[in-house]
């Protein structure tokens, strides 16, 4: 049997958001590579799946990739999952996929949650064309330069941001984009999920959010405005 790498999407907060095929595949593979073994163990335990877990993160990915290709060479199958959502989307795995393809093995993605897509479809902003920016640099100067470069981009923009930088991110976004239509998607799929849909404002603390705790996706309308073309 030829080894294969499966990229398996896992929940972004709600444990029930996992597909039947994701569970079947996790049960069938020989080994699961994941970011944080303790985190992923909880997911696997919830579904009574017992598999050897191997940590793979940005600092050891190159080394791990060689080891995992060796496993594929032995005819074993490997799954890659991340702490949340779809692997490789602002998460590790890109180098592993490159190494696996380079070595002549198949890569199969088992689809499921992705915070960017979940936020986009519920945002009310145009979905016909969008640009996934992901995380911007943490330093203000570099982040502002990226904002400037995106200012005239015509499609919906999707950003990830860490909870402790979100207010600064929004204040700086206002300085560059002004009162551009925006959407904040907080704690999606979890108990305290909430959305803000409205303009960026100079003082993010004035936004009508119940809380600033938890995870956020930020979307901005493209330079053309917030109205979707009828298609
Ligand atoms: N691979 C993941 C995916 O498919 O969406 C993204 C991983 S990235 C390290 C984590 C970022 O995704 C967070 O900082 C946040 O911007 C966003 N995110 C993940 N889960 C979320 C949730 N439940 N609600 C809102 N944003 C979320």
């Amino acid at each position: 049997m030829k080894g294969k790498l499966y990229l398996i999407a896992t929940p972004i907060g709600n444990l029930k958001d996992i597909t039947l095929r994701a569970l079947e595949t996790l049960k069938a593979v020989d080994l699961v590579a994941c970011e944080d073994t303790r985190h992923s163990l909880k997911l696997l335990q919830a579904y009574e799946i017992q598999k050897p877990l191997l940590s793979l993160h940005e600092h050891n990915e190159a080394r791990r990739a060689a080891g995992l290709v060796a496993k594929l060479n032995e005819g074993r199958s490997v799954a890659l999952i991340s702490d949340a959502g779809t692997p490789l989307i602002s998460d590790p795995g890109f180098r592993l996929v490159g190494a696996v393809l380079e070595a002549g093995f198949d890569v199969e993605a088992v689809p499921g949650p992705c915070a960017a897509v979940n936020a986009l479809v519920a945002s009310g902003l145009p979905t016909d064309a969008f640009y996934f920016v992901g995380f911007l640099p943490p330093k203000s100067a570099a982040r502002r330069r990226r904002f400037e470069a995106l200012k005239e981009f015509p499609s919906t923009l999707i950003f990830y941001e860490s909870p402790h930088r979100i207010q600064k991110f929004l204040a700086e976004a206002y300085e560059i984009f002004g009162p551009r239509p925006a959407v904040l998607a907080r704690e999606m799929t979890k108990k305290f999920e909430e959305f803000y849909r409205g303009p960026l404002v100079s003082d993010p603390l004035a936004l009508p959010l119940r809380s600033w705790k938890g995870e956020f996706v930020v979307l901005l309308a493209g330079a053309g405005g917030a109205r979707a073309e009828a298609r």
Side-chain angles (χ1 to χ4, degrees), residues 4-29:
K4 195 180 210 178
L5 173 68
Y6 295 88
L7 308 171
I8 304 184
T10 59
I12 57 168
N14 187 325
L15 216 53
K16 291 183 183 163
D17 291 333
I18 187 151
T19 69
L20 297 176
R21 192 154 81 89
L23 294 175
E24 273 172 17
T25 311
L26 284 167
K27 280 181 191 151
V29 293

PDB file of all heavy atoms in Angstrom, residues 4-29:
ATOM      1  N   LYS A   4       0.065   7.897   2.187  1.00  0.00           N
ATOM      2  CA  LYS A   4      -0.667   9.082   1.747  1.00  0.00           C
ATOM      3  C   LYS A   4      -0.764  10.073   2.901  1.00  0.00           C
ATOM      4  O   LYS A   4      -0.870   9.667   4.066  1.00  0.00           O
ATOM      5  CB  LYS A   4      -2.063   8.645   1.314  1.00  0.00           C
ATOM      6  CG  LYS A   4      -2.831   9.666   0.518  1.00  0.00           C
ATOM      7  CD  LYS A   4      -4.200   9.072   0.175  1.00  0.00           C
ATOM      8  CE  LYS A   4      -4.756   9.574  -1.101  1.00  0.00           C
ATOM      9  NZ  LYS A   4      -6.035   8.970  -1.449  1.00  0.00           N
ATOM     10  N   LEU A   5      -0.729  11.355   2.541  1.00  0.00           N
ATOM     11  CA  LEU A   5      -0.917  12.396   3.558  1.00  0.00           C
ATOM     12  C   LEU A   5      -2.332  12.953   3.440  1.00  0.00           C
ATOM     13  O   LEU A   5      -2.744  13.381   2.357  1.00  0.00           O
ATOM     14  CB  LEU A   5       0.092  13.531   3.351  1.00  0.00           C
ATOM     15  CG  LEU A   5      -0.117  14.755   4.254  1.00  0.00           C
ATOM     16  CD1 LEU A   5       0.181  14.423   5.719  1.00  0.00           C
ATOM     17  CD2 LEU A   5       0.756  15.929   3.793  1.00  0.00           C
ATOM     18  N   TYR A   6      -3.063  12.967   4.560  1.00  0.00           N
ATOM     19  CA  TYR A   6      -4.402  13.545   4.604  1.00  0.00           C
ATOM     20  C   TYR A   6      -4.353  14.845   5.402  1.00  0.00           C
ATOM     21  O   TYR A   6      -3.829  14.861   6.524  1.00  0.00           O
ATOM     22  CB  TYR A   6      -5.381  12.592   5.285  1.00  0.00           C
ATOM     23  CG  TYR A   6      -5.594  11.302   4.533  1.00  0.00           C
ATOM     24  CD1 TYR A   6      -4.765  10.205   4.755  1.00  0.00           C
ATOM     25  CD2 TYR A   6      -6.613  11.189   3.584  1.00  0.00           C
ATOM     26  CE1 TYR A   6      -4.952   9.019   4.056  1.00  0.00           C
ATOM     27  CE2 TYR A   6      -6.805  10.004   2.878  1.00  0.00           C
ATOM     28  CZ  TYR A   6      -5.972   8.930   3.121  1.00  0.00           C
ATOM     29  OH  TYR A   6      -6.158   7.753   2.436  1.00  0.00           O
ATOM     30  N   LEU A   7      -4.909  15.906   4.819  1.00  0.00           N
ATOM     31  CA  LEU A   7      -5.008  17.182   5.524  1.00  0.00           C
ATOM     32  C   LEU A   7      -6.442  17.282   6.026  1.00  0.00           C
ATOM     33  O   LEU A   7      -7.377  17.366   5.226  1.00  0.00           O
ATOM     34  CB  LEU A   7      -4.706  18.339   4.569  1.00  0.00           C
ATOM     35  CG  LEU A   7      -3.393  18.196   3.800  1.00  0.00           C
ATOM     36  CD1 LEU A   7      -3.293  19.268   2.719  1.00  0.00           C
ATOM     37  CD2 LEU A   7      -2.203  18.267   4.750  1.00  0.00           C
ATOM     38  N   ILE A   8      -6.616  17.224   7.325  1.00  0.00           N
ATOM     39  CA  ILE A   8      -7.973  17.086   7.866  1.00  0.00           C
ATOM     40  C   ILE A   8      -8.377  18.333   8.648  1.00  0.00           C
ATOM     41  O   ILE A   8      -7.711  18.718   9.619  1.00  0.00           O
ATOM     42  CB  ILE A   8      -8.060  15.843   8.774  1.00  0.00           C
ATOM     43  CG1 ILE A   8      -7.604  14.602   7.975  1.00  0.00           C
ATOM     44  CG2 ILE A   8      -9.477  15.671   9.301  1.00  0.00           C
ATOM     45  CD1 ILE A   8      -7.740  13.311   8.724  1.00  0.00           C
ATOM     46  N   ALA A   9      -9.484  18.942   8.216  1.00  0.00           N
ATOM     47  CA  ALA A   9      -9.992  20.111   8.937  1.00  0.00           C
ATOM     48  C   ALA A   9     -10.703  19.652  10.208  1.00  0.00           C
ATOM     49  O   ALA A   9     -11.413  18.637  10.210  1.00  0.00           O
ATOM     50  CB  ALA A   9     -10.949  20.890   8.053  1.00  0.00           C
ATOM     51  N   THR A  10     -10.504  20.408  11.277  1.00  0.00           N
ATOM     52  CA  THR A  10     -11.099  20.078  12.578  1.00  0.00           C
ATOM     53  C   THR A  10     -11.874  21.317  13.076  1.00  0.00           C
ATOM     54  O   THR A  10     -11.771  22.393  12.483  1.00  0.00           O
ATOM     55  CB  THR A  10     -10.002  19.661  13.583  1.00  0.00           C
ATOM     56  OG1 THR A  10      -9.069  20.728  13.720  1.00  0.00           O
ATOM     57  CG2 THR A  10      -9.280  18.392  13.146  1.00  0.00           C
ATOM     58  N   PRO A  11     -12.634  21.195  14.165  1.00  0.00           N
ATOM     59  CA  PRO A  11     -13.489  22.312  14.601  1.00  0.00           C
ATOM     60  C   PRO A  11     -12.720  23.608  14.906  1.00  0.00           C
ATOM     61  O   PRO A  11     -11.548  23.569  15.280  1.00  0.00           O
ATOM     62  CB  PRO A  11     -14.137  21.764  15.874  1.00  0.00           C
ATOM     63  CG  PRO A  11     -14.153  20.286  15.692  1.00  0.00           C
ATOM     64  CD  PRO A  11     -12.881  19.975  14.958  1.00  0.00           C
ATOM     65  N   ILE A  12     -13.431  24.750  14.759  1.00  0.00           N
ATOM     66  CA  ILE A  12     -12.848  26.041  15.169  1.00  0.00           C
ATOM     67  C   ILE A  12     -13.434  26.485  16.507  1.00  0.00           C
ATOM     68  O   ILE A  12     -13.377  27.654  16.863  1.00  0.00           O
ATOM     69  CB  ILE A  12     -13.032  27.143  14.105  1.00  0.00           C
ATOM     70  CG1 ILE A  12     -14.516  27.348  13.760  1.00  0.00           C
ATOM     71  CG2 ILE A  12     -12.217  26.843  12.851  1.00  0.00           C
ATOM     72  CD1 ILE A  12     -14.783  28.612  12.933  1.00  0.00           C
ATOM     73  N   GLY A  13     -13.994  25.565  17.250  1.00  0.00           N
ATOM     74  CA  GLY A  13     -14.523  25.922  18.569  1.00  0.00           C
ATOM     75  C   GLY A  13     -15.617  24.977  19.034  1.00  0.00           C
ATOM     76  O   GLY A  13     -15.679  24.613  20.199  1.00  0.00           O
ATOM     77  N   ASN A  14     -16.460  24.587  18.098  1.00  0.00           N
ATOM     78  CA  ASN A  14     -17.563  23.686  18.459  1.00  0.00           C
ATOM     79  C   ASN A  14     -17.167  22.258  18.067  1.00  0.00           C
ATOM     80  O   ASN A  14     -17.015  21.949  16.891  1.00  0.00           O
ATOM     81  CB  ASN A  14     -18.831  24.119  17.721  1.00  0.00           C
ATOM     82  CG  ASN A  14     -20.040  23.343  18.179  1.00  0.00           C
ATOM     83  OD1 ASN A  14     -19.947  22.159  18.505  1.00  0.00           O
ATOM     84  ND2 ASN A  14     -21.170  24.007  18.215  1.00  0.00           N
ATOM     85  N   LEU A  15     -17.014  21.434  19.077  1.00  0.00           N
ATOM     86  CA  LEU A  15     -16.508  20.074  18.866  1.00  0.00           C
ATOM     87  C   LEU A  15     -17.340  19.266  17.869  1.00  0.00           C
ATOM     88  O   LEU A  15     -16.857  18.306  17.269  1.00  0.00           O
ATOM     89  CB  LEU A  15     -16.501  19.363  20.225  1.00  0.00           C
ATOM     90  CG  LEU A  15     -15.374  18.391  20.513  1.00  0.00           C
ATOM     91  CD1 LEU A  15     -14.018  19.028  20.289  1.00  0.00           C
ATOM     92  CD2 LEU A  15     -15.490  17.868  21.936  1.00  0.00           C
ATOM     93  N   LYS A  16     -18.606  19.680  17.685  1.00  0.00           N
ATOM     94  CA  LYS A  16     -19.471  18.918  16.775  1.00  0.00           C
ATOM     95  C   LYS A  16     -19.178  19.203  15.310  1.00  0.00           C
ATOM     96  O   LYS A  16     -19.701  18.525  14.428  1.00  0.00           O
ATOM     97  CB  LYS A  16     -20.940  19.240  17.065  1.00  0.00           C
ATOM     98  CG  LYS A  16     -21.419  18.720  18.392  1.00  0.00           C
ATOM     99  CD  LYS A  16     -22.892  19.026  18.560  1.00  0.00           C
ATOM    100  CE  LYS A  16     -23.375  18.578  19.921  1.00  0.00           C
ATOM    101  NZ  LYS A  16     -24.648  19.201  20.246  1.00  0.00           N
ATOM    102  N   ASP A  17     -18.389  20.256  15.057  1.00  0.00           N
ATOM    103  CA  ASP A  17     -18.109  20.626  13.665  1.00  0.00           C
ATOM    104  C   ASP A  17     -16.964  19.797  13.086  1.00  0.00           C
ATOM    105  O   ASP A  17     -15.895  20.313  12.750  1.00  0.00           O
ATOM    106  CB  ASP A  17     -17.757  22.116  13.561  1.00  0.00           C
ATOM    107  CG  ASP A  17     -18.949  22.995  13.845  1.00  0.00           C
ATOM    108  OD1 ASP A  17     -20.091  22.550  13.614  1.00  0.00           O
ATOM    109  OD2 ASP A  17     -18.741  24.131  14.313  1.00  0.00           O
ATOM    110  N   ILE A  18     -17.211  18.505  12.981  1.00  0.00           N
ATOM    111  CA  ILE A  18     -16.208  17.639  12.352  1.00  0.00           C
ATOM    112  C   ILE A  18     -16.968  16.661  11.460  1.00  0.00           C
ATOM    113  O   ILE A  18     -18.036  16.175  11.841  1.00  0.00           O
ATOM    114  CB  ILE A  18     -15.319  16.930  13.399  1.00  0.00           C
ATOM    115  CG1 ILE A  18     -14.184  16.189  12.712  1.00  0.00           C
ATOM    116  CG2 ILE A  18     -16.128  16.003  14.314  1.00  0.00           C
ATOM    117  CD1 ILE A  18     -12.930  16.065  13.541  1.00  0.00           C
ATOM    118  N   THR A  19     -16.453  16.409  10.278  1.00  0.00           N
ATOM    119  CA  THR A  19     -17.241  15.593   9.343  1.00  0.00           C
ATOM    120  C   THR A  19     -17.064  14.098   9.638  1.00  0.00           C
ATOM    121  O   THR A  19     -16.090  13.665  10.259  1.00  0.00           O
ATOM    122  CB  THR A  19     -16.829  15.848   7.879  1.00  0.00           C
ATOM    123  OG1 THR A  19     -15.515  15.327   7.678  1.00  0.00           O
ATOM    124  CG2 THR A  19     -16.869  17.327   7.527  1.00  0.00           C
ATOM    125  N   LEU A  20     -18.013  13.338   9.113  1.00  0.00           N
ATOM    126  CA  LEU A  20     -17.930  11.883   9.266  1.00  0.00           C
ATOM    127  C   LEU A  20     -16.658  11.365   8.610  1.00  0.00           C
ATOM    128  O   LEU A  20     -15.977  10.480   9.127  1.00  0.00           O
ATOM    129  CB  LEU A  20     -19.155  11.225   8.629  1.00  0.00           C
ATOM    130  CG  LEU A  20     -20.498  11.585   9.280  1.00  0.00           C
ATOM    131  CD1 LEU A  20     -21.649  10.969   8.506  1.00  0.00           C
ATOM    132  CD2 LEU A  20     -20.516  11.104  10.731  1.00  0.00           C
ATOM    133  N   ARG A  21     -16.320  11.969   7.453  1.00  0.00           N
ATOM    134  CA  ARG A  21     -15.124  11.495   6.746  1.00  0.00           C
ATOM    135  C   ARG A  21     -13.845  11.871   7.509  1.00  0.00           C
ATOM    136  O   ARG A  21     -12.874  11.116   7.509  1.00  0.00           O
ATOM    137  CB  ARG A  21     -15.078  12.068   5.316  1.00  0.00           C
ATOM    138  CG  ARG A  21     -14.019  11.374   4.471  1.00  0.00           C
ATOM    139  CD  ARG A  21     -14.387  11.444   3.006  1.00  0.00           C
ATOM    140  NE  ARG A  21     -14.043  12.716   2.427  1.00  0.00           N
ATOM    141  CZ  ARG A  21     -12.869  12.992   1.870  1.00  0.00           C
ATOM    142  NH1 ARG A  21     -11.920  12.076   1.832  1.00  0.00           N
ATOM    143  NH2 ARG A  21     -12.638  14.159   1.361  1.00  0.00           N
ATOM    144  N   ALA A  22     -13.878  13.037   8.174  1.00  0.00           N
ATOM    145  CA  ALA A  22     -12.709  13.408   8.985  1.00  0.00           C
ATOM    146  C   ALA A  22     -12.500  12.361  10.078  1.00  0.00           C
ATOM    147  O   ALA A  22     -11.373  11.897  10.306  1.00  0.00           O
ATOM    148  CB  ALA A  22     -12.918  14.792   9.592  1.00  0.00           C
ATOM    149  N   LEU A  23     -13.587  11.967  10.733  1.00  0.00           N
ATOM    150  CA  LEU A  23     -13.466  10.967  11.808  1.00  0.00           C
ATOM    151  C   LEU A  23     -13.013   9.614  11.264  1.00  0.00           C
ATOM    152  O   LEU A  23     -12.124   8.967  11.829  1.00  0.00           O
ATOM    153  CB  LEU A  23     -14.799  10.839  12.560  1.00  0.00           C
ATOM    154  CG  LEU A  23     -15.211  12.083  13.347  1.00  0.00           C
ATOM    155  CD1 LEU A  23     -16.598  11.903  13.950  1.00  0.00           C
ATOM    156  CD2 LEU A  23     -14.199  12.395  14.446  1.00  0.00           C
ATOM    157  N   GLU A  24     -13.632   9.213  10.145  1.00  0.00           N
ATOM    158  CA  GLU A  24     -13.240   7.925   9.530  1.00  0.00           C
ATOM    159  C   GLU A  24     -11.764   7.930   9.165  1.00  0.00           C
ATOM    160  O   GLU A  24     -11.054   6.944   9.370  1.00  0.00           O
ATOM    161  CB  GLU A  24     -14.031   7.710   8.228  1.00  0.00           C
ATOM    162  CG  GLU A  24     -15.359   7.043   8.414  1.00  0.00           C
ATOM    163  CD  GLU A  24     -16.166   7.049   7.102  1.00  0.00           C
ATOM    164  OE1 GLU A  24     -15.584   7.278   6.020  1.00  0.00           O
ATOM    165  OE2 GLU A  24     -17.382   6.831   7.190  1.00  0.00           O
ATOM    166  N   THR A  25     -11.318   9.042   8.607  1.00  0.00           N
ATOM    167  CA  THR A  25      -9.922   9.107   8.159  1.00  0.00           C
ATOM    168  C   THR A  25      -8.974   9.103   9.357  1.00  0.00           C
ATOM    169  O   THR A  25      -7.954   8.413   9.352  1.00  0.00           O
ATOM    170  CB  THR A  25      -9.696  10.357   7.278  1.00  0.00           C
ATOM    171  OG1 THR A  25     -10.717  10.409   6.297  1.00  0.00           O
ATOM    172  CG2 THR A  25      -8.340  10.325   6.604  1.00  0.00           C
ATOM    173  N   LEU A  26      -9.347   9.855  10.395  1.00  0.00           N
ATOM    174  CA  LEU A  26      -8.498   9.863  11.593  1.00  0.00           C
ATOM    175  C   LEU A  26      -8.405   8.457  12.202  1.00  0.00           C
ATOM    176  O   LEU A  26      -7.357   8.063  12.719  1.00  0.00           O
ATOM    177  CB  LEU A  26      -9.046  10.855  12.633  1.00  0.00           C
ATOM    178  CG  LEU A  26      -8.770  12.327  12.309  1.00  0.00           C
ATOM    179  CD1 LEU A  26      -9.605  13.253  13.197  1.00  0.00           C
ATOM    180  CD2 LEU A  26      -7.279  12.649  12.475  1.00  0.00           C
ATOM    181  N   LYS A  27      -9.503   7.717  12.111  1.00  0.00           N
ATOM    182  CA  LYS A  27      -9.484   6.341  12.646  1.00  0.00           C
ATOM    183  C   LYS A  27      -8.604   5.428  11.794  1.00  0.00           C
ATOM    184  O   LYS A  27      -8.027   4.468  12.286  1.00  0.00           O
ATOM    185  CB  LYS A  27     -10.910   5.770  12.684  1.00  0.00           C
ATOM    186  CG  LYS A  27     -11.687   6.267  13.883  1.00  0.00           C
ATOM    187  CD  LYS A  27     -13.089   5.680  13.918  1.00  0.00           C
ATOM    188  CE  LYS A  27     -13.897   6.412  14.979  1.00  0.00           C
ATOM    189  NZ  LYS A  27     -15.318   6.441  14.689  1.00  0.00           N
ATOM    190  N   ALA A  28      -8.534   5.738  10.496  1.00  0.00           N
ATOM    191  CA  ALA A  28      -7.860   4.812   9.573  1.00  0.00           C
ATOM    192  C   ALA A  28      -6.348   5.037   9.453  1.00  0.00           C
ATOM    193  O   ALA A  28      -5.614   4.116   9.115  1.00  0.00           O
ATOM    194  CB  ALA A  28      -8.498   4.925   8.182  1.00  0.00           C
ATOM    195  N   VAL A  29      -5.887   6.272   9.708  1.00  0.00           N
ATOM    196  CA  VAL A  29      -4.460   6.540   9.462  1.00  0.00           C
ATOM    197  C   VAL A  29      -3.578   5.887  10.526  1.00  0.00           C
ATOM    198  O   VAL A  29      -4.054   5.471  11.587  1.00  0.00           O
ATOM    199  CB  VAL A  29      -4.158   8.066   9.414  1.00  0.00           C
ATOM    200  CG1 VAL A  29      -4.808   8.709   8.196  1.00  0.00           C
ATOM    201  CG2 VAL A  29      -4.565   8.737  10.702  1.00  0.00           C
TER     202      VAL A  29
END
